[in-house]
Amino acid sequence: MPKFLWKGIDVAGNQVKGCLFADNQELLKTQLLINGVALLSCSIVDKKQWQISRRLSQYDFINFFDQMAMLLDGGVDLLSAIKTVEQQEQNNKLRDILGCIRIDLQNGNSLAVALSKHKKIFNDFITQMIEVGLRSGQLSFVLAQISLHLKKDQQLKKDLHSAALMPIVTVFFALLIVVVILIVIVPQFEIFFSSIGKQLPTATRRIIWVSKFLRSWRGAVSLIALVPGFFGFMFLLGKNRVKRLKDWLFISIPYVKNLVELSNFTHFLQALTVLLKSGIPLKDAVICARDSMNNSYLRSNVNNAIDNITRGRTLSDSIALLPSFYRQATLVALINVGEQTGALADDLGRATESFQEELKRFVLILTTLFQPVLLITVGLITGILIWMIYLPIFNLAYSIG
C-alpha cells in the first residue's frame, strides 16, 4: 500500500496537509472527505524515503496495546481510543498505520479487518485474538493479554541475548587480537628477520605472508567484502531451502537440538496459553500458536498434532504422538491434568513458565561451559602465533649457543 503526501482544505477553509496510506488516489480522496477535507494535490512518497523512519520495535506494539486496553477498560469507545493513541504516537510509521485503521473503522470495518490489512505489522495471532475479543465483548481483556504476551516474549529474548552476549564479545576481541598481531606486531619482527639474513622456518614465513596480505589492498578489499558477504549469508538463510537445511542441522546436533526445541516450544506454549485464555477454540489456537515457532521441522510436527486434534484426539495424546523432544513427558503430563480438571489454559501457563526457566537454565549452562573453552582456544591461538613469530629467534639463540 503506497503512502501519499497530500494537501487539502478543511470545512473551515483552512489549508491542511499530511501523509496517509491508501491503495490509490481515489480512495485517498474518499478517506479525506470522510474526515472533512477536500483533496487539492497529492504525491506518492518513495518507499525508500518513508522506510528511513525508525523501525517498529516490540516496545511500540506493547505501548499501543497497553494504551488501547487502558482506554477501553476506562469506558472510551473504540474509535476515540484509536484517535487518542494515534495523536500521541511518536513513531511516524505506526501513526500513519493507525490513521488508516481509524479510517477503516469510520468506514464501518471491524478492528480485526482493519488490522488484517497490515499483515506485515499485525500477524494472524493478533488479528485472530482481537476478532475473538470483539465477538465476546472482552476486547480490553484480549488487548491486555496480547500486551502481556509481547512483554513475556520480549523479556525471554532479552534474557537469552544477555546470556549470549559474553561469548560474542569474547570472540570479537579474540579476532581483534589476532588481527592486531598480524597487522601491527608481525611487521616489526619482519624487519628484524630481514636483518638476520637467515632462512626462516616455514611456519614463520606463512605468518609473514598472511601479515603482508592483510596489509595490502587485496587484504583490505577482502576484509571489506566480509560485510556484504555476511549480509548475503543472512539473506540466503532466509530462503526456504537454505532455512530448512539450517533448521535440520540445528535439530541434528546434540545439545543444540535441546536448546532449539526448548526455545520453539516455549514460544508455542506461551502463544497457546494466551489464545485459550482469550476464548479461541483449541484447534484454531494450536494452528495460530504454531506460527510462533521458528524451526520448520518442529512446525511440521505440530501439523501432525493438529491433524490428530481434528480426528478427535485430545491435545495431550496429540503431543504424546509427536517425535520425541526435550521434556515431552513433562508437558504431556501437565496438559493431561489440565484436560481432566478443565483448567487447560492455567496448566499450559505453568508449563510455559517451566519451559522458560528450563530454557534460561540451559542457556546459562551452555554459556558457562562454552566461556572457558573459548578462552582456552583464544589463548592457544594467540600462543601459537607468538611461538611462530619467536621461533626464528629461538633457533638463532640455539645456533649461537
Side-chain angles (χ1 to χ4, degrees):
M1 182 180 292
K3 181 181 180 181
F4 289 87
L5 283 175
W6 56 267
K7 291 182 180 179
I9 297 177
D10 63 14
V11 291
N14 299 318
Q15 194 171 83
V16 290
K17 61 182 180 179
C19 50
L20 197 64
F21 287 94
D23 289 325
N24 52 54
Q25 187 172 332
E26 289 301 318
L27 287 176
L28 174 67
K29 186 185 297 184
T30 303
Q31 290 175 7
L32 291 174
L33 283 174
I34 293 172
N35 291 306
V37 176
L39 180 65
L40 293 178
S41 64
C42 66
S43 60
I44 296 178
V45 181
D46 181 28
K47 189 176 181 182
K48 292 180 181 178
Q49 288 182 348
W50 64 266
Q51 282 187 340
I52 293 175
S53 62
R54 181 172 65 84
R55 292 179 60 186
L56 294 178
S57 65
Q58 193 87 327
Y59 171 78
D60 292 319
F61 290 108
I62 291 171
N63 187 48
F64 166 67
F65 288 115
D66 268 344
Q67 288 189 75
M68 288 295 297
M70 180 181 63
L71 289 169
L72 293 177
D73 203 39
V76 180
D77 65 273
L78 180 57
L79 184 57
S80 299
I82 287 287
K83 284 182 180 179
T84 303
V85 177
E86 178 191 357
Q87 291 167 358
Q88 296 177 353
E89 182 55 50
Q90 296 181 351
N91 187 294
N92 293 333
K93 189 173 181 180
L94 183 55
R95 185 168 61 245
D96 290 338
I97 292 170
L98 292 178
C100 293
I101 293 170
R102 171 176 52 78
I103 291 170
D104 277 331
L105 293 177
Q106 289 172 337
N107 290 336
N109 291 319
S110 70
L111 180 60
V113 172
L115 294 181
S116 66
K117 294 182 179 180
H118 307 276
K119 289 187 178 294
K120 291 184 178 180
I121 307 297
F122 303 102
N123 56 29
D124 292 338
F125 168 79
I126 292 175
T127 54
Q128 192 167 355
M129 283 193 64
I130 288 177
E131 190 173 349
V132 171
L134 290 168
R135 285 203 306 263
S136 62
Q138 294 182 309
L139 183 57
S140 61
F141 170 76
V142 168
L143 290 171
Q145 288 294 310
I146 294 173
S147 175
L148 180 62
H149 168 72
L150 293 176
K151 287 175 183 176
K152 288 182 177 180
D153 189 56
Q154 185 183 42
Q155 186 60 47
L156 179 61
K157 288 178 180 177
K158 185 178 178 181
D159 292 339
L160 295 180
H161 290 164
S162 298
L165 180 62
M166 188 55 69
I168 292 173
V169 171
T170 305
V171 169
F172 172 77
F173 277 103
L175 292 174
L176 185 63
I177 290 169
V178 170
V179 171
V180 169
I181 290 174
L182 292 172
I183 293 179
V184 179
I185 298 177
V186 171
Q188 304 300 321
F189 282 89
E190 185 182 353
I191 298 171
F192 171 72
F193 294 151
S194 300
S195 65
I196 295 176
K198 289 193 174 184
Q199 179 73 16
L200 297 175
T202 303
T204 306
R205 291 202 306 271
R206 287 176 178 171
I207 288 294
I208 292 174
W209 180 88
V210 172
S211 175
K212 287 181 177 179
F213 175 76
L214 289 177
R215 286 180 283 129
S216 67
W217 67 269
R218 292 185 180 85
V221 170
S222 299
L223 289 175
I224 294 172
L226 289 175
V227 176
F230 171 78
F231 285 108
F233 176 73
M234 296 303 292
F235 174 76
L236 284 175
L237 287 180
K239 295 294 183 181
N240 287 336
R241 289 186 179 180
V242 180
K243 189 176 185 306
R244 282 189 63 82
L245 178 62
K246 179 199 70 173
D247 291 344
W248 172 82
L249 186 64
F250 280 175
I251 61 172
S252 302
I253 302 173
Y255 297 109
V256 176
K257 174 178 181 290
N258 294 347
L259 179 63
V260 171
E261 288 175 345
L262 270 174
S263 176
N264 276 263
F265 277 102
T266 297
H267 285 94
F268 171 76
L269 291 171
Q270 184 173 296
L272 184 59
T273 302
V274 174
L275 290 163
L276 290 177
K277 284 184 177 180
S278 300
I280 294 177
L282 177 61
K283 179 184 172 183
D284 295 335
V286 174
I287 292 173
C288 195
R290 173 200 57 193
D291 296 331
S292 65
M293 304 176 78
N294 294 323
N295 191 282
S296 56
Y297 282 88
L298 295 179
R299 277 202 308 270
S300 63
N301 289 343
V302 174
N303 286 336
N304 296 332
I306 294 170
D307 292 339
N308 287 325
I309 292 172
T310 305
R311 295 189 187 101
R313 288 184 179 272
T314 61
L315 179 62
S316 57
D317 289 341
S318 302
I319 297 295
L321 291 172
L322 295 181
S324 178
F325 60 86
Y326 191 65
R327 297 201 66 179
Q328 183 179 19
T330 302
L331 178 59
V332 171
L334 282 170
I335 294 174
N336 189 34
V337 171
E339 288 171 337
Q340 291 177 3
T341 58
L344 180 57
D346 292 335
D347 281 306
L348 281 172
R350 295 187 187 93
T352 303
E353 292 175 3
S354 173
F355 269 64
Q356 284 177 340
E357 291 303 318
E358 180 67 16
L359 178 59
K360 292 176 188 177
R361 188 185 69 84
F362 200 86
V363 171
L364 181 63
I365 290 173
L366 283 181
T367 51
T368 303
L369 293 175
F370 183 64
Q371 189 69 15
V373 172
L374 191 59
L375 290 173
I376 292 170
T377 304
V378 171
L380 286 174
I381 293 172
T382 307
I384 291 171
L385 279 175
I386 294 173
W387 174 77
M388 293 168 77
I389 295 170
Y390 276 92
L391 185 59
I393 299 175
F394 295 150
N395 291 341
L396 178 63
Y398 178 77
S399 61
I400 292 174

